[in-house]
Amino acid sequence: MKKLTALLLALTLLFTSACAGGEGTQDTPDAPDSPPVQEQTPPAETDAPDEPAPEPEAEPEPEPEPPAPVEKEPYEILDPTVMPEGGERDGVKYEAYNGIVEHLFFHPIIAYPELAFDGDSEEKGLDDFMVTADEFWKIMDSCYANGYVLVDIGDVWSETTGDDGQPKMVRNTLYLPEGKKPLIFSYDDTNYYPYMLDNGFTYKLILGEDGKVTSWGLDPDGKEVTSRELDAIPALDKFVEDHPDFSPFGAKASLSLTGYQGILGYRTQTDGAVEWTDELEANRQAEREAVKPIIEELKRTGWTFGSHTWGHIRLSGQRLGLDAIQKDTQKWLDEVGSLVGETPILYYPHGERPDGGDWTQTGPIFQYLQSQGFRVFCSVGIESFSFIKKDICAVICDRLHPDGTTLRNSRKRYLQFYDAKDIMDPARPDFGVDWD
């Protein structure tokens, strides 16, 4: 038995020694400078069926390159209350102006008259209160030809401190190119309400591939259209590009915004009429983020903003009391002011003043609105009227309204700007005029 055990032990030692001298896999890691161990290629097994080579793993697709930022042309905004050094700029003489500052306001313009004037229940109202894109371009041309230059409403009056230590508003002297007259443009309801979308208006503002503000919408055939000519905002931008002396200070217009159906075509509003859900709020926040670059570009290129109240409410207090007006104002500040920033301008919905026709009165509603930072209060009238209030730091003013109503019935009053005979779009319905 011992001999058998010894024999087995010897054979085991012999076999172990033979294996140590071969090219087997090492159990210890390679030394730092040792060459890598070569794997042996096994002999082909002729009796075994061929197996398909394994599919190579697909390489992950590269992440799409973000679009290159558009290099925007610099845009200069100047202060018209400061005379240029030497009284000239770019070879143009400037002079002091203390006369009336005219103010024209527009609602959104009709891009497709065939959809607006189609005989439905909306036709008469659209004819009364809007102008078409064709009419808007002609009005700009005529105002330019008649020697007007754009100024920002925020530059016409300033808040200062009186001799009594109390804040007050003052009218600024404007320094204009020699022979020119100042003109304010403002646009009410630049919110792109849903009812307008079926009646020939553009749908929203977007940034084009060139980074400029443009409009987006559908034409009468349902095709997508981006344009800088069918909407009053990009149209004015384009007009100023072509006629830079129409805006020597870089001013464009003041946009009067409600909030109850969002702003600039983006649905940024809350809606108390439905149960608010996380999904609705997520969509609202996405819309808020989407509109921010539009606001930024508008501000950069001379546009300003004003409040038209959140719900387009009447401010006389006859229908709504002070409490409801306070809630509406806070909602505007939360949902619209938080996007466009602070503004001293309030545009009265329906042109309705809180204190009626007596602009010398200052009731509790006016006092509250003034306490929220508003200083310039704009109504609608038959002339570009303004009045600096003596008992509170505020200005009230009226503005004129180019629209179907005045084109048909107030030709003489607007001749300093344009002649309705040359302006009226033949696409309008035949509701008659008071001039031959």
Side-chain angles (χ1 to χ4, degrees), residues 9-19:
L9 179 61
L11 289 171
T12 301
L13 291 172
L14 181 62
F15 179 77
T16 302
S17 174
C19 289

mmCIF file of all heavy atoms in Angstrom, residues 9-19:
data_model
loop_
_atom_site.group_PDB
_atom_site.id
_atom_site.type_symbol
_atom_site.label_atom_id
_atom_site.label_comp_id
_atom_site.label_asym_id
_atom_site.label_seq_id
_atom_site.Cartn_x
_atom_site.Cartn_y
_atom_site.Cartn_z
ATOM 1 N N LEU A 9 2.162 9.574 -5.721
ATOM 2 C CA LEU A 9 2.744 10.869 -5.374
ATOM 3 C C LEU A 9 3.781 11.280 -6.406
ATOM 4 O O LEU A 9 3.861 12.428 -6.833
ATOM 5 C CB LEU A 9 3.357 10.797 -3.974
ATOM 6 C CG LEU A 9 4.033 12.075 -3.477
ATOM 7 C CD1 LEU A 9 3.028 13.227 -3.401
ATOM 8 C CD2 LEU A 9 4.654 11.833 -2.096
ATOM 9 N N ALA A 10 4.567 10.304 -6.881
ATOM 10 C CA ALA A 10 5.606 10.619 -7.859
ATOM 11 C C ALA A 10 4.999 11.054 -9.179
ATOM 12 O O ALA A 10 5.473 11.980 -9.841
ATOM 13 C CB ALA A 10 6.507 9.383 -8.050
ATOM 14 N N LEU A 11 3.959 10.304 -9.567
ATOM 15 C CA LEU A 11 3.308 10.676 -10.827
ATOM 16 C C LEU A 11 2.711 12.071 -10.748
ATOM 17 O O LEU A 11 2.757 12.861 -11.701
ATOM 18 C CB LEU A 11 2.214 9.647 -11.172
ATOM 19 C CG LEU A 11 2.733 8.257 -11.601
ATOM 20 C CD1 LEU A 11 1.541 7.263 -11.703
ATOM 21 C CD2 LEU A 11 3.452 8.336 -12.929
ATOM 22 N N THR A 12 2.140 12.397 -9.607
ATOM 23 C CA THR A 12 1.539 13.724 -9.423
ATOM 24 C C THR A 12 2.586 14.815 -9.537
ATOM 25 O O THR A 12 2.397 15.849 -10.202
ATOM 26 C CB THR A 12 0.840 13.816 -8.068
ATOM 27 O OG1 THR A 12 -0.171 12.815 -8.010
ATOM 28 C CG2 THR A 12 0.230 15.201 -7.847
ATOM 29 N N LEU A 13 3.722 14.632 -8.908
ATOM 30 C CA LEU A 13 4.797 15.619 -8.964
ATOM 31 C C LEU A 13 5.314 15.780 -10.385
ATOM 32 O O LEU A 13 5.607 16.881 -10.848
ATOM 33 C CB LEU A 13 5.940 15.204 -8.037
ATOM 34 C CG LEU A 13 5.611 15.285 -6.523
ATOM 35 C CD1 LEU A 13 6.761 14.667 -5.717
ATOM 36 C CD2 LEU A 13 5.425 16.745 -6.119
ATOM 37 N N LEU A 14 5.437 14.664 -11.094
ATOM 38 C CA LEU A 14 5.923 14.717 -12.468
ATOM 39 C C LEU A 14 4.974 15.508 -13.365
ATOM 40 O O LEU A 14 5.370 16.339 -14.169
ATOM 41 C CB LEU A 14 6.110 13.281 -12.999
ATOM 42 C CG LEU A 14 6.633 13.137 -14.435
ATOM 43 C CD1 LEU A 14 8.024 13.738 -14.567
ATOM 44 C CD2 LEU A 14 6.637 11.657 -14.872
ATOM 45 N N PHE A 15 3.664 15.258 -13.179
ATOM 46 C CA PHE A 15 2.649 15.965 -13.991
ATOM 47 C C PHE A 15 2.638 17.467 -13.689
ATOM 48 O O PHE A 15 2.594 18.295 -14.583
ATOM 49 C CB PHE A 15 1.262 15.351 -13.693
ATOM 50 C CG PHE A 15 0.165 16.009 -14.453
ATOM 51 C CD1 PHE A 15 -0.037 15.733 -15.795
ATOM 52 C CD2 PHE A 15 -0.691 16.907 -13.815
ATOM 53 C CE1 PHE A 15 -1.061 16.347 -16.472
ATOM 54 C CE2 PHE A 15 -1.701 17.516 -14.490
ATOM 55 C CZ PHE A 15 -1.909 17.244 -15.838
ATOM 56 N N THR A 16 2.797 17.829 -12.450
ATOM 57 C CA THR A 16 2.819 19.234 -12.045
ATOM 58 C C THR A 16 4.011 19.950 -12.629
ATOM 59 O O THR A 16 3.930 21.093 -13.113
ATOM 60 C CB THR A 16 2.847 19.347 -10.515
ATOM 61 O OG1 THR A 16 1.704 18.676 -9.992
ATOM 62 C CG2 THR A 16 2.860 20.807 -10.057
ATOM 63 N N SER A 17 5.174 19.289 -12.650
ATOM 64 C CA SER A 17 6.380 19.893 -13.182
ATOM 65 C C SER A 17 6.252 20.145 -14.677
ATOM 66 O O SER A 17 6.676 21.171 -15.189
ATOM 67 C CB SER A 17 7.578 18.969 -12.914
ATOM 68 O OG SER A 17 8.728 19.443 -13.529
ATOM 69 N N ALA A 18 5.594 19.188 -15.376
ATOM 70 C CA ALA A 18 5.428 19.359 -16.816
ATOM 71 C C ALA A 18 4.519 20.541 -17.127
ATOM 72 O O ALA A 18 4.761 21.301 -18.051
ATOM 73 C CB ALA A 18 4.856 18.067 -17.427
ATOM 74 N N CYS A 19 3.465 20.717 -16.367
ATOM 75 C CA CYS A 19 2.534 21.838 -16.605
ATOM 76 C C CYS A 19 3.202 23.176 -16.330
ATOM 77 O O CYS A 19 2.904 24.173 -16.994
ATOM 78 C CB CYS A 19 1.282 21.693 -15.726
ATOM 79 S SG CYS A 19 0.195 20.332 -16.241
#
